[in-house]
Amino acid sequence: MATFSSSSSSNDPPPPSFWTHVETISLIENYSEKWQSLDRGDLSVADWQSVADSIAWQCEQDPPLETATRSA
């Protein structure tokens, strides 16, 4: 069983956010659609970004801040 420390410093990253049911369904639907359009092939970085953008748009949120590619 995992235990969590009650003490945290101001430098600790925020806890991970969990996906809502709507976001999860959107991910599954968008991934499935993209995967089918690629004849069940692997998704490229650009494909994953397209999926992420679709989820953000459908869930009326801002596009994700981090993507599969990061600038240095």
Side-chain angles (χ1 to χ4, degrees):
M1 181 190 312
T3 58
F4 298 98
S5 172
S6 61
S7 64
S8 64
S9 71
S10 61
N11 293 335
D12 289 345
S17 60
F18 296 97
W19 287 49
T20 66
H21 181 72
V22 171
E23 292 166 336
T24 303
I25 296 301
S26 182
L27 169 63
I28 293 167
E29 290 173 350
N30 281 284
Y31 169 80
S32 296
E33 182 179 310
K34 182 60 78 173
W35 185 62
Q36 293 288 337
S37 74
L38 297 171
D39 294 324
R40 299 181 180 184
D42 294 335
L43 275 67
S44 68
V45 170
D47 294 328
W48 277 112
Q49 185 62 55
S50 174
V51 168
D53 291 343
S54 295
I55 294 166
W57 181 81
Q58 288 175 349
C59 295
E60 298 180 346
Q61 296 179 4
D62 294 332
L65 297 176
E66 293 187 75
T67 62
T69 58
R70 296 182 184 201
S71 59

